[in-house]
Amino acid sequence: MTAPTPTGVRAIPRSRVLLTAAIAIALIATVAVTVLRGSYRDGALEPDAPTPQGSRAVVRVLGDTGTEVGTARHTSDAARDLRGGGTVLLADAEGLSPAQLDLLASSLDAPGAGHLVLVAPDALTLAALTDDVEPAGSIAGEATVPAGDCGDLAHGARALAVRGEDGALADQGRLGAARTYAVRGDAEGCFDAGGGSLLVSDGSITVLGAADVLTNECITGADDAALALNLLGAEDTLTWYVPSATDPLALTAPSLLTHLPRWTGPVALWLMALVVVALVAAGRRQGPVVVEPLPVTARGEELVLGRARLLERASERTAAASALRAAAAGRLAARLGQRHETSLDALLAALAPHTSLSPDRLRALLEHRPVADDQQLLRLAHDLDALEKEIDR
Amino acid sequence: MRISPTLRAAPAGLLALPVLVLWPSWGTVLACAAVWLLVVLGDALAAPSPRRLQVVRRSPAQVVLGGTGTGRLLLTNPGPRRARLQVRDAWNPTAGLDSPRAAVDVPAHERREIAQRFTPTRRGEHSSRALVIDSRGPLGLARRSARIDAPGRMLALHPFGARRHLPSRVRRLREIEGLAAVHQRGQGTEFDSLRDFVDGDDVRSIDWRATARRRSVVVRTWRPERDRHVLVVVDTSRTGAVRLGEGTRLDAAFDAALLLTALAGQAGDRVDLLCVDRVEHLSVIGSRRGTALHDMVSATAPVHPALVETDWELAAARIRERTRRGSLVVLLTPVDATTVHGALLPVTARLAADHPVVIGSVSDPALDELAAGREDVPALYAAASAETARARAAGTARALERTGVHVVHAPPERAPQALADAYLALKAAGRL
């Protein structure tokens, strides 16, 4: 009818094996998916990224049409290529340190320097590299901007499609909306919109306000491809410079979060939710807290110790000595067969034959006399003990 | 009934990771959460309801403190689905249940047993506050829990450590009764036998008629009385709560009362027990001789001291109701100057007029330790204070003895024997 209690060793249930296997497979699949896809670096305008925000399409086509495209992560590499006469595309022209900007500017001024293309630079970057271009505004929404009458500067494109804040770069924040720039002096602008130009040329510097134009997602819009390919394919070599946090010249490293893959957020949220579930499940108590109805107990000697401390604080040595003397006298009287109420004289007389102490010494020990200091009290206690031991023999 | 996820439900959620990596969006997270919730809920609903289980509890009624009792919990699953159960039996901790939690699988229409071992560490009543049963789903992702109504009670009995002193005291009793060695002239009324006169015998006990038939002088001997009445009154007031060594003063008092009961049972006397402080708490009256000890052990088990003063006038009234003239009255209360001089002294004076009265007082061994302290000045003051306390107790005991009662004052490990010896001395003196 009854089986032995199953609290001992139990076979691992089948469902647990299945669950463990399923979890293991899921984790392996997750790792595999990320590894297989992870042969490129994902990010805004990354030359190898096939994601919507990447620029693999442009780079591939440029390579097919005979332009040698190299990738630079450090400012020194980009500056070297710039000095060598190639075209350098600065993919993320924000957050460069003054040292990096100085290096780029000096390379640009070197004899035989190449062409520098800035993608949506901010005011600080522009001020470091040129005096004639400054930010004017932005195009927040989706728009198609006609070239207008600007000849060669349009690079054969009649119109540019920009996605604005809804584009592939929207969640990268600062590269979202297309920017427009105002021109002064020798600089020329093209694709006018939003109070400025999307494309500005100032000598060897070209400023492209719409990063969308280069992304995989938007390259097919309007004549974006024509502009990208003609602008970047003008020279034989193109250096695709993506500033990196590991650059020794970088002052403010871009935060690590911008380099995380897109699934980080959802997965982190999911894991956090699971951790909360695990904590709640592990912290659950089965049933109520049981209170023990312990009976009351008290220490018996509290009163005695309290009285002892009172005596000590008041330095009542004589009272303490009297108590010790009375107790010793009581025990001695009992041992000598005397009544408890016997007088001190009778006790001393009975003690005298049994001890080596002189009668005066005995009287000094047992009679009520004041005690001057602690040493005397200690000596009295030990003498009383010695006397009791002597009588005991 | 409550439904909650198990710890396993969290790692099971990791199964959603590939989905989240492939389609990373907040919507996917919501969808995964919904699916996870559905699975967990479904698992919980697939578990059989713990309320439908039939639970039978067989817990031991009484366990001697320091011993072990075994109990059983029988779980019957009347439903068609297998029940995977996690059972928590919430006894209070000092009941000493070896495993309050047990995992057990009960197949459909079958019954399983959970064996329980109790090793209580506190005298008194113990109970199970709740029986909580969790029923896990087939996937083990969720559980349904419910509190089942299956009350459990157990009484941890006084260990009666003084029992080992019983054989020697019984031997003394037999000597006194004359069954073994000595016959003596007591004030008993039950004639026992005749024997030759020896020096020291009371001349009033000479049986002249028997002497006339023989050439030597013959005396009558008398057995001590049997079927006398002993009333043990235990003081359960605040003084009983004092911790002396391992137990409280009340524990030592019960130990003494039990030894006296066992001994008096051997002597053929009837023993009644009264526990009293401000009100009368418990009385064991009129037990048969064979069951008196057992009755008393189980009756005193749940009695604990209360932080009140004893009303000795009330106690005296109860004693008067329960005794005849000549019954032995044993008061188990400490000789404490403050309580004795206030209320106990007049009561004992009145009682002693009608009864032989013994006061059993359990002294504090800590006082003796303190009184022996000589190592430094604070220890000396403590010794002096302890000597004062002992002197006051001795003075109080003398004051009580002047009213005609006998006071037994001993530390807890010697108090039961001392009380038994006092009883034997009364028997030997023929006062009982």
Short mmCIF file of all heavy atoms in Angstrom, two decimals, chain A residues 21-56:
data_model
loop_
_atom_site.label_atom_id
_atom_site.label_comp_id
_atom_site.label_asym_id
_atom_site.label_seq_id
_atom_site.Cartn_x
_atom_site.Cartn_y
_atom_site.Cartn_z
N ALA A 21 18.07 19.60 -22.30
CA ALA A 21 18.54 19.47 -23.67
C ALA A 21 18.01 20.60 -24.53
O ALA A 21 18.76 21.21 -25.33
CB ALA A 21 18.09 18.12 -24.24
N ALA A 22 16.73 20.93 -24.35
CA ALA A 22 16.13 22.01 -25.16
C ALA A 22 16.84 23.33 -24.89
O ALA A 22 17.15 24.09 -25.82
CB ALA A 22 14.64 22.11 -24.85
N ILE A 23 17.13 23.60 -23.63
CA ILE A 23 17.80 24.86 -23.30
C ILE A 23 19.19 24.89 -23.90
O ILE A 23 19.63 25.89 -24.48
CB ILE A 23 17.86 25.03 -21.77
CG1 ILE A 23 16.46 25.30 -21.24
CG2 ILE A 23 18.78 26.17 -21.39
CD1 ILE A 23 16.38 25.29 -19.73
N ALA A 24 19.88 23.75 -23.82
CA ALA A 24 21.23 23.70 -24.38
C ALA A 24 21.19 23.96 -25.88
O ALA A 24 21.99 24.74 -26.42
CB ALA A 24 21.85 22.33 -24.09
N ILE A 25 20.23 23.32 -26.56
CA ILE A 25 20.13 23.51 -28.01
C ILE A 25 19.84 24.98 -28.32
O ILE A 25 20.43 25.57 -29.23
CB ILE A 25 19.02 22.59 -28.58
CG1 ILE A 25 19.50 21.15 -28.51
CG2 ILE A 25 18.68 22.98 -30.02
CD1 ILE A 25 18.44 20.14 -28.84
N ALA A 26 18.94 25.59 -27.52
CA ALA A 26 18.60 26.99 -27.77
C ALA A 26 19.82 27.88 -27.60
O ALA A 26 20.08 28.78 -28.42
CB ALA A 26 17.50 27.43 -26.81
N LEU A 27 20.60 27.62 -26.55
CA LEU A 27 21.78 28.46 -26.31
C LEU A 27 22.80 28.28 -27.45
O LEU A 27 23.38 29.25 -27.95
CB LEU A 27 22.41 28.11 -24.97
CG LEU A 27 21.60 28.55 -23.76
CD1 LEU A 27 22.28 28.14 -22.47
CD2 LEU A 27 21.42 30.08 -23.78
N ILE A 28 22.99 27.02 -27.88
CA ILE A 28 23.94 26.76 -28.96
C ILE A 28 23.46 27.46 -30.23
O ILE A 28 24.24 28.08 -30.96
CB ILE A 28 24.09 25.24 -29.18
CG1 ILE A 28 24.83 24.64 -27.98
CG2 ILE A 28 24.84 24.94 -30.46
CD1 ILE A 28 24.83 23.14 -27.96
N ALA A 29 22.13 27.38 -30.48
CA ALA A 29 21.58 28.03 -31.68
C ALA A 29 21.82 29.53 -31.61
O ALA A 29 22.21 30.16 -32.60
CB ALA A 29 20.09 27.73 -31.78
N THR A 30 21.62 30.12 -30.42
CA THR A 30 21.84 31.56 -30.27
C THR A 30 23.28 31.92 -30.60
O THR A 30 23.56 32.84 -31.38
CB THR A 30 21.53 31.97 -28.82
OG1 THR A 30 20.25 31.46 -28.47
CG2 THR A 30 21.55 33.47 -28.67
N VAL A 31 24.20 31.14 -30.03
CA VAL A 31 25.62 31.42 -30.28
C VAL A 31 25.94 31.25 -31.76
O VAL A 31 26.62 32.08 -32.37
CB VAL A 31 26.48 30.47 -29.41
CG1 VAL A 31 27.95 30.59 -29.79
CG2 VAL A 31 26.30 30.83 -27.95
N ALA A 32 25.38 30.17 -32.35
CA ALA A 32 25.67 29.90 -33.76
C ALA A 32 25.17 31.04 -34.64
O ALA A 32 25.89 31.52 -35.53
CB ALA A 32 25.02 28.59 -34.18
N VAL A 33 23.94 31.48 -34.38
CA VAL A 33 23.37 32.56 -35.19
C VAL A 33 24.25 33.80 -35.11
O VAL A 33 24.60 34.43 -36.13
CB VAL A 33 21.94 32.87 -34.73
CG1 VAL A 33 21.46 34.20 -35.27
CG2 VAL A 33 21.01 31.76 -35.16
N THR A 34 24.67 34.14 -33.90
CA THR A 34 25.47 35.36 -33.77
C THR A 34 26.84 35.19 -34.41
O THR A 34 27.37 36.11 -35.03
CB THR A 34 25.63 35.73 -32.29
OG1 THR A 34 25.98 34.56 -31.57
CG2 THR A 34 24.38 36.33 -31.72
N VAL A 35 27.43 33.99 -34.25
CA VAL A 35 28.77 33.79 -34.82
C VAL A 35 28.71 33.82 -36.35
O VAL A 35 29.52 34.47 -37.01
CB VAL A 35 29.37 32.46 -34.31
CG1 VAL A 35 30.57 32.06 -35.15
CG2 VAL A 35 29.78 32.61 -32.87
N LEU A 36 27.70 33.13 -36.91
CA LEU A 36 27.61 33.06 -38.37
C LEU A 36 27.38 34.45 -38.97
O LEU A 36 27.92 34.79 -40.01
CB LEU A 36 26.47 32.13 -38.79
CG LEU A 36 26.79 30.64 -38.60
CD1 LEU A 36 25.59 29.79 -38.99
CD2 LEU A 36 28.00 30.26 -39.44
N ARG A 37 26.58 35.24 -38.27
CA ARG A 37 26.32 36.58 -38.79
C ARG A 37 27.43 37.54 -38.40
O ARG A 37 27.56 38.61 -38.95
CB ARG A 37 25.00 37.11 -38.23
CG ARG A 37 23.82 36.44 -38.81
CD ARG A 37 22.58 37.14 -38.38
NE ARG A 37 22.86 38.12 -37.31
CZ ARG A 37 21.95 38.97 -36.86
NH1 ARG A 37 20.75 38.96 -37.38
NH2 ARG A 37 22.24 39.79 -35.91
N GLY A 38 28.21 37.16 -37.45
CA GLY A 38 29.13 38.11 -36.81
C GLY A 38 30.46 38.26 -37.51
O GLY A 38 31.42 38.72 -36.92
N SER A 39 30.59 37.87 -38.83
CA SER A 39 31.86 38.03 -39.51
C SER A 39 32.06 39.47 -39.98
O SER A 39 33.05 39.81 -40.57
CB SER A 39 31.93 37.07 -40.70
OG SER A 39 30.83 37.32 -41.54
N TYR A 40 31.10 40.30 -39.74
CA TYR A 40 31.25 41.72 -40.06
C TYR A 40 31.06 42.52 -38.80
O TYR A 40 30.56 42.02 -37.80
CB TYR A 40 30.22 42.16 -41.10
CG TYR A 40 28.80 41.92 -40.65
CD1 TYR A 40 28.12 42.91 -39.91
CD2 TYR A 40 28.14 40.73 -40.92
CE1 TYR A 40 26.85 42.69 -39.47
CE2 TYR A 40 26.86 40.51 -40.48
CZ TYR A 40 26.22 41.50 -39.75
OH TYR A 40 24.95 41.28 -39.30
N ARG A 41 31.45 43.78 -38.91
CA ARG A 41 31.23 44.65 -37.77
C ARG A 41 29.99 45.48 -38.05
O ARG A 41 29.92 46.17 -39.07
CB ARG A 41 32.45 45.56 -37.62
CG ARG A 41 32.57 46.19 -36.25
CD ARG A 41 33.59 47.26 -36.30
NE ARG A 41 34.93 46.72 -36.14
CZ ARG A 41 35.86 47.33 -35.40
NH1 ARG A 41 35.58 48.44 -34.78
NH2 ARG A 41 37.05 46.82 -35.33
N ASP A 42 29.00 45.36 -37.19
CA ASP A 42 27.76 46.08 -37.44
C ASP A 42 27.86 47.49 -36.87
O ASP A 42 28.50 47.71 -35.85
CB ASP A 42 26.58 45.33 -36.78
CG ASP A 42 25.25 45.81 -37.34
OD1 ASP A 42 25.27 46.58 -38.33
OD2 ASP A 42 24.20 45.41 -36.80
N GLY A 43 27.25 48.45 -37.55
CA GLY A 43 27.26 49.83 -37.07
C GLY A 43 26.87 50.76 -38.22
O GLY A 43 26.71 50.32 -39.37
N ALA A 44 26.70 52.00 -37.86
CA ALA A 44 26.29 52.98 -38.87
C ALA A 44 27.40 53.16 -39.90
O ALA A 44 28.56 53.37 -39.54
CB ALA A 44 25.96 54.30 -38.21
N LEU A 45 27.06 53.04 -41.19
CA LEU A 45 28.00 53.29 -42.30
C LEU A 45 29.24 52.40 -42.23
O LEU A 45 30.30 52.77 -42.72
CB LEU A 45 28.43 54.76 -42.34
CG LEU A 45 27.29 55.79 -42.50
CD1 LEU A 45 27.86 57.19 -42.65
CD2 LEU A 45 26.41 55.45 -43.68
N GLU A 46 29.07 51.20 -41.62
CA GLU A 46 30.19 50.27 -41.63
C GLU A 46 30.34 49.71 -43.04
O GLU A 46 29.35 49.26 -43.63
CB GLU A 46 29.95 49.14 -40.62
CG GLU A 46 30.25 49.50 -39.19
CD GLU A 46 31.74 49.59 -38.92
OE1 GLU A 46 32.53 49.10 -39.75
OE2 GLU A 46 32.12 50.18 -37.88
N PRO A 47 31.55 49.68 -43.57
CA PRO A 47 31.71 49.27 -44.98
C PRO A 47 31.39 47.79 -45.22
O PRO A 47 31.10 47.43 -46.34
CB PRO A 47 33.19 49.57 -45.25
CG PRO A 47 33.84 49.63 -43.91
CD PRO A 47 32.82 50.14 -42.97
N ASP A 48 31.44 46.94 -44.18
CA ASP A 48 31.19 45.52 -44.39
C ASP A 48 29.79 45.09 -43.97
O ASP A 48 29.43 43.94 -44.16
CB ASP A 48 32.21 44.68 -43.59
CG ASP A 48 33.59 44.86 -44.16
OD1 ASP A 48 33.68 45.16 -45.37
OD2 ASP A 48 34.56 44.74 -43.39
N ALA A 49 29.04 45.99 -43.33
CA ALA A 49 27.78 45.57 -42.71
C ALA A 49 26.67 45.45 -43.75
O ALA A 49 26.40 46.41 -44.46
CB ALA A 49 27.38 46.55 -41.63
N PRO A 50 26.00 44.27 -43.81
CA PRO A 50 24.87 44.13 -44.74
C PRO A 50 23.57 44.59 -44.12
O PRO A 50 22.52 44.46 -44.74
CB PRO A 50 24.84 42.63 -45.00
CG PRO A 50 25.36 42.02 -43.74
CD PRO A 50 26.31 43.00 -43.12
N THR A 51 23.60 45.09 -42.90
CA THR A 51 22.38 45.53 -42.23
C THR A 51 21.90 46.84 -42.86
O THR A 51 22.67 47.49 -43.57
CB THR A 51 22.66 45.74 -40.74
OG1 THR A 51 23.83 46.54 -40.62
CG2 THR A 51 22.91 44.42 -40.04
N PRO A 52 20.67 47.25 -42.60
CA PRO A 52 20.14 48.48 -43.24
C PRO A 52 21.03 49.69 -42.98
O PRO A 52 21.18 50.53 -43.88
CB PRO A 52 18.78 48.65 -42.56
CG PRO A 52 18.37 47.27 -42.20
CD PRO A 52 19.61 46.53 -41.86
N GLN A 53 21.65 49.77 -41.78
CA GLN A 53 22.43 50.97 -41.51
C GLN A 53 23.85 50.89 -42.08
O GLN A 53 24.59 51.86 -42.04
CB GLN A 53 22.51 51.17 -39.99
CG GLN A 53 23.19 50.00 -39.30
CD GLN A 53 23.29 50.19 -37.81
OE1 GLN A 53 23.20 51.30 -37.33
NE2 GLN A 53 23.47 49.11 -37.09
N GLY A 54 24.26 49.70 -42.57
CA GLY A 54 25.61 49.54 -43.08
C GLY A 54 25.76 50.12 -44.50
O GLY A 54 24.82 50.66 -45.08
N SER A 55 26.98 50.00 -45.06
CA SER A 55 27.25 50.58 -46.39
C SER A 55 27.90 49.58 -47.32
O SER A 55 28.66 49.93 -48.22
CB SER A 55 28.16 51.80 -46.24
OG SER A 55 27.54 52.77 -45.46
N ARG A 56 27.62 48.30 -47.08
CA ARG A 56 28.27 47.26 -47.88
C ARG A 56 27.96 47.42 -49.36
O ARG A 56 28.83 47.20 -50.22
CB ARG A 56 27.77 45.92 -47.37
CG ARG A 56 28.49 44.73 -47.94
CD ARG A 56 27.81 43.48 -47.33
NE ARG A 56 28.20 42.28 -48.06
CZ ARG A 56 29.09 41.41 -47.58
NH1 ARG A 56 29.68 41.64 -46.45
NH2 ARG A 56 29.37 40.32 -48.27
#
